């Protein structure tokens, strides 16, 4: 699983001019449902990537090598850059997210409370919930009303 997660980060790195910027590979991490999908041997449909420091979307976009290297959709919002590479949707959230652990502690369901940082082992908060396919609400969720 670690190798597959790293491949997803590497695909994104390939399209970001890290060499010519002050970005570092350690500024990016994956969190959420992708790890659940991999544990359950399900098809990965999307990858959520977070940045650990404040980044202005416009400045971030200056470091995207070529917008046309992405398939079909390339969408920019106030806090994210969304695109598709080989049929998989990627979202890079460009608002600062502090530490991965603090971020996932506020996710809505325990089965998505996992993250992967560059070249490390994935952190999985509730692996048994994933294996048992238990949909348990996280009481520390940031947006309880929005989830319900």
């Amino acid at each position: 699983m670690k190798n597959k997660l790293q491949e997803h980060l590497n695909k994104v790195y390939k399209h970001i001019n890290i060499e010519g910027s002050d970005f570092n590979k350690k500024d990016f991490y994956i969190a959420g449902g992708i790890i659940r999908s991999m544990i359950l041997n399900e098809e990965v449909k999307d990858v959520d990537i977070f940045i650990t420091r404040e980044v202005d979307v416009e400045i971030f976009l200056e470091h995207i090598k070529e917008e046309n290297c992405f398939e079909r959709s390339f969408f920019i919002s106030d806090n994210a850059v969304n695109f598709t590479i080989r049929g998989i949707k990627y979202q890079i959230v460009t608002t600062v997210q502090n530490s991965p652990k603090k971020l996932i502690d506020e996710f809505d369901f325990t089965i998505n409370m996992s993250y992967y940082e560059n070249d490390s082992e994935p952190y999985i908060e509730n692996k048994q919930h994933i294996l048992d396919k238990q949909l348990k609400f996280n009481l520390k969720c940031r947006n309880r009303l929005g989830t319900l």
Side-chain angles (χ1 to χ4, degrees):
M1 178 182 348
K2 176 183 171 183
N3 291 340
K4 288 183 180 179
L5 290 165
Q6 189 63 47
E7 284 176 24
H8 285 291
L9 279 179
N10 290 342
K11 283 180 190 174
V12 173
Y13 297 152
K14 191 169 95 176
H15 298 294
I16 298 171
N17 188 7
I18 292 176
E19 311 297 317
S21 72
D22 62 346
F23 287 112
N24 184 308
K25 288 183 178 183
K26 292 183 181 193
D27 291 332
F28 301 87
Y29 64 90
I30 293 175
I34 182 176
I35 296 171
R36 179 200 69 237
S37 295
M38 288 182 170
I39 289 172
L40 296 175
N41 292 317
E42 296 175 350
E43 178 185 1
V44 172
K45 296 179 182 170
D46 69 309
V47 179
D48 296 317
I49 299 174
F50 298 85
I51 298 179
T52 59
R53 60 189 180 88
E54 194 67 48
V55 176
D56 182 287
V57 175
E58 294 301 320
I59 292 171
F60 180 79
L61 289 174
E62 290 174 14
H63 298 288
I64 299 284
K65 287 184 178 174
E66 291 180 42
E67 191 173 311
N68 63 2
C69 65
F70 303 110
E71 295 172 12
R72 294 181 309 244
S73 59
F74 187 89
F75 174 75
I76 303 159
S77 68
D78 290 337
N79 65 348
V81 177
N82 303 274
F83 51 87
T84 303
I85 301 173
R86 294 192 181 139
I88 297 176
K89 296 176 185 171
Y90 289 83
Q91 179 179 59
I92 301 178
V93 179
T94 55
T95 53
V96 70
Q97 296 300 323
N98 298 316
S99 75
K101 179 69 172 110
K102 285 182 182 177
L103 174 73
I104 68 165
D105 281 347
E106 295 181 348
F107 278 9
D108 50 4
F109 293 103
T110 60
I111 59 171
N112 291 327
M113 294 173 65
S114 303
Y115 65 86
Y116 172 75
E117 292 182 282
N118 215 9
D119 295 322
S120 66
E121 289 301 317
Y123 175 85
I124 303 164
E125 179 81 22
N126 294 290
K127 188 170 185 177
Q128 199 57 50
H129 290 182
I130 295 170
L131 294 172
D132 295 342
K133 297 186 179 180
Q134 293 180 2
L135 189 61
K136 292 197 174 198
F137 187 72
N138 174 21
L139 295 176
K140 294 188 256 176
C141 173
R142 181 178 352 156
N143 185 7
R144 290 184 196 169
L145 291 175
T147 299
L148 302 174

